[in-house]
Amino acid sequence: MLRSLLPRLLSSVAVFLLIAIGLFTLVRLAPGDPIDMMVPPELAGAPRDAYIASVRERFGLDQPIVVQFWRWLGGLMTGDLGFSYTTGRPVGELLAGRLGPTALLMGSALFIGLVIAVPAGVIAAVRRNTIADYTISSVSVLAIAVPSFFLGMLAIYTFAVKLQVLPSSGMHSTGRDDLGDLLLHMIMPVGLLALANAANFIRYVRSGVLEELEKDYVRTIIAKGGTRTRALRHALRNSLMSLITVLAMTIPIALSGAVVLEQIFSWPGMGQLAIDALGNRDYPVLIGFGLYIAVLVLICNLIADLSYTIIDPRVRTAR
Amino acid sequence: MTKQTAPTPPLAVHDLTLDISTPQGKVRILEDVAFEVRPGEIVGIVGESGSGKSMTALSVLRILPAGARIVGGRIEFEGVDLATLSSGRMRRIRGRRIAMVFQDHMTTLDPVISIGAQIEEAYRIHHPRVPRAKAREKMVETLELVGVPDAADRSKQYPHQWSGGMRQRAVIAMALINDPDLIIADEPTTALDVTIQAEILAVLRELRDRRSLAIMLITHDMGVIADMADRIVVMKEGKVVEMAEAHALFSSPEHPYTRKLLDAVPQPSDATPERGRVEEAEPAALQVSDLVVEYHRSWRRQGVRAVDGVSFSVPAGQVLGLVGESGSGKSTIGKAIVGLAPITAGSIRVGDVELKALRGGQARAARERFGMVFQDPASSLNPRMTIGECIAEPLVAHRRTMSRTARHARVVELLEQVQLPAAWTTRFPHELSGGQRQRVGIARALALDPELLIADEPTSALDVSVQAAVLEVFQDLQQRLGFSCLFISHDLAVVELLSENVVVLQQGQIVEEGNARSVLNDPQTEYARRLVDAAPFPDPARQRARHVTRITNV
């Protein structure tokens, strides 16, 4: 198993380097200069130019781009992602600070989404073309179709403004950091994200199970005296492959933050960080964010490949 | 474990009638089907696809597809009517008293669970309190019974690691593990090579003798029926048209449909002509010399040598048969000729053109000189193209200057040659039957008036009577148009019908060649003999005699 994983690991490293180069170049190519944002507006003329030059030097932006890249790559290897242009804090620290809240939000949403989606998808598949199937399928399509910001605002209006049972934003109420308070803050954003995830997964579970139920081995199980439930267990295991693929695609997206929902609920997560960095042309933060997503995608793909080999013997022996 | 012959037959089907509801309304699939299976008896059910033979089998176990309903009749199993039995009691009969052996498909077994575990499951469903180790022991024992070597170790493997013949044994073991009274085998050997088919059939026969098991054998292969069945039920369009003892049915079939089925089977003739007649007068249409084809799997793995130094030639205007089991390299040779497989070494000449040296445009031009008919007419025609477009495609590719009207005229001409109505140019492949589609395939292959036709198992996906009609068209066209043909098949009788000479391949090498009839009647090599012996004759008496000789030879 390890031997089959090694080439993948190496190719992942190569992909990572390519992405690093790509990101670095792309951000430099973008129009606009971050230093414009840092110059105090009252400066003009020569003092302004001198100020700009000094800032350039301080951040190393006066060096040729190759040198800049080389330094940056060297820093990267030692875990140094540079400093934010706007706040001056290390990028690594900024990202790490946001990872916790986002992981908490998205992890719970993914988990709850799966807990809803697997049974619902199986029910929709087994009771195909019945009321149960139609209900589950239409709710799932509806949840995909309605934009999350709309649902978010609707939820805030209902539960925070009208009923006043849930806090409208943030992770903690001022002066409190107990678990109960955190959970209370999580209900709305997690609920909405879980709904969106579930809506997405249900469709894959349903079609995956349906496809497997059509296969001959299901008939074989019934023919040897097995119950429908037993046949379904076999089918579900076989349909896991497609779900893992979807998960491997969803997790990196989720962990990069739900930009809109984090904004609405003022959740101090990755999405907010990325939006702010974009607005300020904060290159180091943007690049750091990009690399973080790249690493997530690569890791998730590796894990997905690994799970295929665990679940599917055909993949295992094809190596 | 010997059961005394019961006074009542284990299975008696009375007036079974079955409907399937479709969006167009109800369709009657079975009507008043009646037959019985006695202990220790093999009852063969024959008929073409769509005759309802599989539906009959599925009805007995009540594992019908959605929408199908038994609307009349009784299925008596030891006096109990299965048609009205509660689903719980039915479950206790399935797999335990009546077991099913399905045709081998890649998906008959669950691909992600080991074969052993799946066979054990069949046992544990009906014996939930038996410890795992005991079930495992029973599983290994049953696998050994059906002739799986190293059963204890091999049972840990997964379906994709077993060959088709071995998987079929696993499915039989799964059916046997609960010691059932009746086995329903639905085309148990259809997807297998003749030699493996013979082994599987021997396993079933032996089980019947040893355990006085009743077997309901469903097949479209008259040879298999002649080989196995004590009694035969002939079905057509959901009805039983004839039912008789095997020897009576074969010697004096009463119903015209039965006669048609029997006549459609290509019969190997008995006469042995003189051997070694080789004509070298005309230049060969196809000359293959020392052909080697290797597939390179990947940079780390050694290549597979599919064809290993094969030489033969097809004289102009003649048909050469290429015979062998799957994996013998027969299809690869056909592919190498049309450029779908690499020529690693050796040469292939069509007329006076050496194919190996050709690249790009020249190779394309050379392909004008041969046509190819593929095995599966369903997937070798583009489902989104009309019949006319399919047939016209070679013309579009090679005859750029041809006008639309000329092309249409040629398509119509080709359709008439393969005896299809000219008006069908606008139809789509799915509107045609298998036999009609294969005629379209032949028409397409002939579109450019090729010197050489390569036919890769063109009729093995078809029912016997359909096969006979397609072969007739083929033979007629070959004689009329005079093209040479390389006819690839695993069916010796078909090859003998069409071709003067035959080449027998084994593992990429020629083991025997010569006049088709003499190879068939008097094979000189062990392998060819095995191949000939394995193919069952559609004649019970002769088949029985062969069993005897086979046994005494051993």
Side-chain angles (χ1 to χ4, degrees), chain A residues 217 219-220 224 234 238 317, chain B residues 107-108 110 118 121 126 160:
Chain A
Y217 67 82
R219 194 181 57 180
T220 307
K224 59 188 183 186
H234 284 255
N238 272 282
T317 46
Chain B
T107 56
T108 305
D110 186 336
Q118 294 189 56
E121 187 182 29
H126 297 289
H160 72 280

Side-chain angles (χ1 to χ4, degrees), chain A residues 128-141:
Chain A
R128 177 168 40 156
N129 298 342
T130 61
I131 297 286
D133 178 24
Y134 293 145
T135 313
I136 289 168
S137 296
S138 20
V139 168
S140 121
V141 170

Side-chain angles (χ1 to χ4, degrees), chain B residues 100-106 108-109 115 119 143 146 148 159 162-176 184-192 196-197 199-201 203-204:
Chain B
M100 183 107 185
V101 174
F102 293 101
Q103 180 177 351
D104 173 60
H105 287 300
M106 259 330 271
T108 305
L109 296 168
I115 288 175
I119 298 173
L143 273 178
V146 296
V148 173
W162 285 35
S163 66
M166 278 300 169
R167 274 203 305 271
Q168 199 60 36
R169 285 170 200 259
V171 173
I172 293 174
M174 191 184 275
L176 282 174
I184 302 174
D186 189 359
E187 305 272 7
T189 58
T190 301
L192 305 173
I196 295 162
Q197 163 169 298
E199 289 169 20
I200 298 283
L201 294 181
V203 166
L204 284 175

Side-chain angles (χ1 to χ4, degrees), chain A residues 3 215-217 219-227 230 234 237-238 311-314 316-319, chain B residues 61 63 91 94-95 100 102 105 107-113 118 121-122 125-126 158 160-161 174 301:
Chain A
R3 230 185 60 214
K215 296 224 169 125
D216 287 341
Y217 67 82
R219 194 181 57 180
T220 307
I221 292 160
I222 299 294
K224 59 188 183 186
T227 55
R230 182 181 289 273
H234 284 255
R237 181 166 168 186
N238 272 282
I311 291 175
D312 195 332
R314 285 165 297 185
R316 208 180 305 157
T317 46
R319 289 286 129 73
Chain B
L61 273 183
I63 46 176
R91 237 187 350 257
R94 281 189 206 121
M100 183 107 185
F102 293 101
H105 287 300
T107 56
T108 305
L109 296 168
D110 186 336
V112 304
I113 292 175
Q118 294 189 56
E121 187 182 29
I125 285 171
H126 297 289
Y158 294 88
H160 72 280
Q161 292 167 297
M174 191 184 275
R301 224 165 278 226

Side-chain angles (χ1 to χ4, degrees), chain A residues 97-250:
Chain A
R98 300 301 183 108
L99 184 61
T102 292
L104 181 67
L105 184 65
M106 297 301 167
S108 350
L110 272 178
F111 178 74
I112 296 172
L114 274 179
V115 167
I116 298 172
V118 172
V122 169
I123 289 169
V126 174
R127 308 223 176 287
R128 177 168 40 156
N129 298 342
T130 61
I131 297 286
D133 178 24
Y134 293 145
T135 313
I136 289 168
S137 296
S138 20
V139 168
S140 121
V141 170
L142 197 70
I144 293 169
V146 178
S148 55
F149 72 85
F150 178 75
L151 283 180
M153 290 193 301
L154 198 69
I156 290 175
Y157 179 76
T158 318
F159 297 108
V161 178
K162 280 283 160 194
L163 301 174
Q164 302 205 341
V165 286
L166 291 173
S168 67
S169 68
M171 268 180 88
H172 298 284
S173 311
T174 2
R176 287 184 66 181
D177 57 353
D178 56 307
L179 189 66
D181 182 53
L182 176 64
L183 287 178
L184 219 55
H185 279 85
M186 278 170 66
I187 289 177
M188 271 200 288
V190 168
L192 289 170
L193 280 167
L195 184 69
N197 283 333
N200 191 22
F201 297 154
I202 281 174
R203 287 158 59 230
Y204 288 96
V205 174
R206 179 181 182 273
S207 66
V209 171
L210 264 185
E211 193 187 319
E212 291 301 325
L213 282 178
E214 295 284 311
K215 296 224 169 125
D216 287 341
Y217 67 82
V218 170
R219 194 181 57 180
T220 307
I221 292 160
I222 299 294
K224 59 188 183 186
T227 55
R228 299 276 311 159
T229 322
R230 182 181 289 273
L232 191 63
R233 274 210 302 271
H234 284 255
L236 190 61
R237 181 166 168 186
N238 272 282
S239 70
L240 271 184
M241 292 286 278
S242 62
L243 190 62
I244 287 176
T245 313
V246 182
L247 271 179
M249 291 189 305
T250 312

